[in-house]
Amino acid sequence: MGVRMISPSTMPTQNMLSFVTACGECDLLLKKEATPYGKKACCPRCGHVLSKSKKNSIDRSLALAIAGLVLFIPANTLPILRLEILGIESGATMLSGVAALFQKDMWILSIVVLLASVIVPLSKLLLVLYITLGLKLNRSFPRLANCLRWYRHINEWGMLEVYALGIIVAYTKLIDLAHVIPELGLYCFVGVLLIATFISATMDEEKFWELIEEQQRD
Amino acid sequence: MQAGLIHCHICEKLVESESIENKHKASCPRCGAAMHMRLPKSISRTWAFLIASIIMYIPANIMPIMTVQNMGKGDPHTIIGGIVVLIYEGMLPIAFVVFVASLLVPLLKMIGIALLLISVQHSWQVTPRHRTKMYRIIEFVGRWSMLDIFMISILVAMVDFGGIAKVYAGTGAIAFAAVVVLTMLASISFDSRLIWDKVR
Ligand SMILES: [Zn+2]
Ligand SMILES: [Zn+2]
């Protein structure tokens, strides 16, 4: 979908609604036009990115969601870093960080960490899997629209990239204290992080909504 | 808003406002989200979250966020204390990253949201494009302040060597997490379309 500004004199009528859209950030009325693949359409008034058309958006998102889910379990249960002091070893997984906070009377903090680094990223992967499967098989899975809506709602609360920076800072704080070794869990975590980033870049939400709307009509 | 149309803020569908019967409990025919011309009570909600985050910002900086115990001796330190330790150890780039993420970003974010609110309430005519850009940046950077919280959770789990070395999280960390969550809620409740409503 590309855009063109609509002059105020041409107010839309009922049959115009199918090719009129509005900018999500400033509400300017715009005319839809097909956006070439790989191009972005921006609002002429405020510069908001209105749509980014992507090739094979459904297939790619589906493949990425499966890959992300496969890596998700080792990323959370295998140690990300291992520490050695005076011959004693200790490792931390993403989940043990949450558990350690919980045991030390910091349950509010542990819930925040659990949500932002485990539950929201996992839910996002599961929602993308469900939505893309439903669209790919062209079956009207129940609550497809609700799932995509929930994806939009929780999107902002997943913070894997911030967690990655947290690992780097923790690492630099520890190398002074002890011998620190990156572990397999860290590589799986980086994999999940990259996949989550690719998914946000390849998902053509505008197209997904149009497909869901078509399903609803049938 | 214009031409009797409502724009769904979730799936971006345009719906004729006349086709919706109950104006107070309208939901989008495509995605089912509640539909509003503008987010309800956007300005007062944003103010509420903003003021709450400003209040939490004080304990977040005064109270210790963690205690590192080494050979039985340990001193609790605040966010600023943690940055000072990093500088002292010569980790300047990391110290700078932590300084930006945990001190500068929350502060600038709170000032930015306050400015946006005041600009909308006083119908400023100038620089709507810049203010929209500022809103976009504010929305993007807020999450990065969570950095310290994640770092603490990793350290608490890893450094647990009984009497040799141990790391504890402090109450300041809870206040700090609250600041991050509250400023995120504030920027989500702010309806950026309000910036353009008053511009003629
Ligand atoms: Zn716009
Ligand atoms: Zn909608």
Side-chain angles (χ1 to χ4, degrees):
Chain A
M1 179 193 74
V3 288
R4 199 197 301 155
M5 249 158 124
I6 293 173
S7 67
S9 56
T10 55
M11 280 304 167
T13 53
Q14 174 71 50
N15 56 353
M16 270 179 79
L17 270 187
S18 50
F19 54 89
V20 170
T21 184
C23 169
E25 267 182 5
C26 72
D27 234 11
L28 182 67
L29 272 185
L30 300 156
K31 196 174 173 182
K32 279 190 210 174
E33 267 162 22
T35 314
Y37 281 130
K39 289 272 167 58
K40 284 190 295 192
C42 297
C43 171
R45 184 162 75 169
C46 74
H48 174 57
V49 179
L50 294 157
S51 71
K52 38 184 189 358
S53 183
K54 289 281 160 14
K55 239 178 183 166
N56 305 329
S57 179
I58 296 175
D59 288 347
R60 284 188 194 178
S61 308
L62 175 60
L64 286 168
I66 294 170
L69 284 168
V70 169
L71 281 177
F72 200 86
I73 300 158
N76 277 277
T77 51
L78 293 180
I80 40 180
L81 293 174
R82 192 155 51 91
L83 196 63
E84 214 183 273
I85 300 178
L86 307 172
I88 314 168
E89 278 193 1
S90 155
T93 67
M94 288 178 79
L95 287 176
S96 76
V98 175
L101 284 178
F102 192 83
Q103 281 159 10
K104 286 170 185 161
D105 297 328
M106 288 280 164
W107 60 272
I108 303 178
L109 216 53
S110 76
I111 288 170
V112 172
V113 176
L114 185 68
L115 278 174
S117 64
V118 181
I119 294 182
V120 172
L122 179 64
S123 314
K124 276 168 71 178
L125 287 172
L126 289 171
L127 286 172
V128 173
L129 178 72
Y130 185 77
I131 295 161
T132 48
L133 263 182
L135 294 177
K136 170 96 182 139
L137 304 173
N138 203 13
R139 298 260 174 81
S140 44
F141 280 12
R143 305 198 165 272
L144 215 53
N146 283 355
C147 286
L148 191 46
R149 176 153 63 92
W150 273 104
Y151 175 83
R152 282 291 299 260
H153 276 305
I154 63 171
N155 198 7
E156 202 164 341
W157 299 95
M159 304 184 190
L160 287 180
E161 69 279 24
V162 185
Y163 198 96
L165 195 58
I167 297 176
I168 295 171
V169 177
Y171 180 84
T172 43
K173 281 202 175 248
L174 288 171
I175 42 175
D176 241 36
L177 194 71
H179 192 51
V180 194
I181 309 129
E183 288 274 326
L184 191 59
L186 182 65
Y187 303 112
C188 298
F189 168 79
V190 173
V192 175
L193 169 65
L194 289 176
I195 286 166
T197 316
F198 287 144
I199 288 180
S200 338
T202 48
M203 249 178 84
D204 186 347
E205 283 179 55
E206 173 70 24
K207 192 175 164 194
F208 282 21
W209 279 121
E210 275 163 17
L211 291 169
I212 289 174
E213 199 173 27
E214 267 171 42
Q215 282 194 358
Q216 285 171 343
R217 244 183 260 130
D218 303 335
Chain B
M1 196 68 169
Q2 314 129 304
L5 297 170
I6 304 186
H7 185 233
C8 173
H9 68 288
I10 294 291
C11 73
E12 319 244 317
K13 189 177 173 60
L14 271 182
V15 182
E16 272 185 295
S17 51
E18 279 147 32
S19 67
I20 295 167
E21 290 120 40
N22 187 343
K23 290 263 169 357
H24 297 289
K25 268 185 93 176
S27 59
C28 171
R30 181 155 76 172
C31 72
M35 286 190 99
H36 315 281
M37 282 294 189
R38 295 292 174 263
L39 294 179
K41 300 197 182 79
S42 169
I43 292 177
S44 46
R45 269 194 208 190
T46 311
W47 270 121
F49 285 127
L50 179 65
I51 291 166
S53 64
I54 293 170
I55 294 169
M56 292 308 275
Y57 191 70
I58 300 161
N61 279 286
I62 294 174
M63 279 151 65
I65 54 161
M66 68 174 185
T67 305
V68 181
Q69 227 167 43
N70 203 347
M71 300 298 170
K73 294 178 298 186
D75 52 330
H77 61 226
T78 55
I79 294 173
I80 300 169
I83 297 167
V84 171
V85 169
L86 281 171
I87 295 172
Y88 194 69
E89 285 168 354
M91 317 271 188
L92 287 177
I94 295 290
F96 181 72
V97 168
V98 177
F99 170 73
V100 171
S102 12
L103 273 175
L104 220 51
V105 165
L107 203 61
L108 291 180
K109 195 175 169 178
M110 291 187 291
I111 295 170
I113 294 172
L115 269 177
L116 285 175
L117 284 167
I118 293 165
S119 84
V120 166
Q121 283 178 316
H122 293 247
S123 318
W124 289 7
Q125 297 291 311
V126 291
T127 63
R129 213 185 154 105
H130 288 119
R131 280 184 279 144
T132 311
K133 196 168 212 165
M134 183 163 99
Y135 173 72
R136 229 169 272 152
I137 295 169
I138 284 173
E139 242 191 337
F140 172 76
V141 296
R143 52 205 284 110
W144 288 94
S145 306
M146 215 48 131
L147 168 68
D148 260 323
I149 304 296
F150 293 142
M151 178 206 63
I152 291 168
S153 92
I154 297 166
L155 288 184
V156 168
M158 284 197 63
V159 188
D160 192 353
F161 294 92
I164 306 168
K166 213 167 162 87
V167 171
Y168 301 94
T171 27
I174 295 175
F176 189 74
V179 171
V180 181
V181 171
L182 286 167
T183 53
M184 280 180 77
L185 288 171
S187 68
I188 290 170
S189 347
F190 183 76
D191 195 329
S192 64
R193 294 171 292 188
L194 291 169
I195 297 172
W196 294 87
D197 284 349
K198 306 282 173 56
V199 177
R200 280 178 289 270

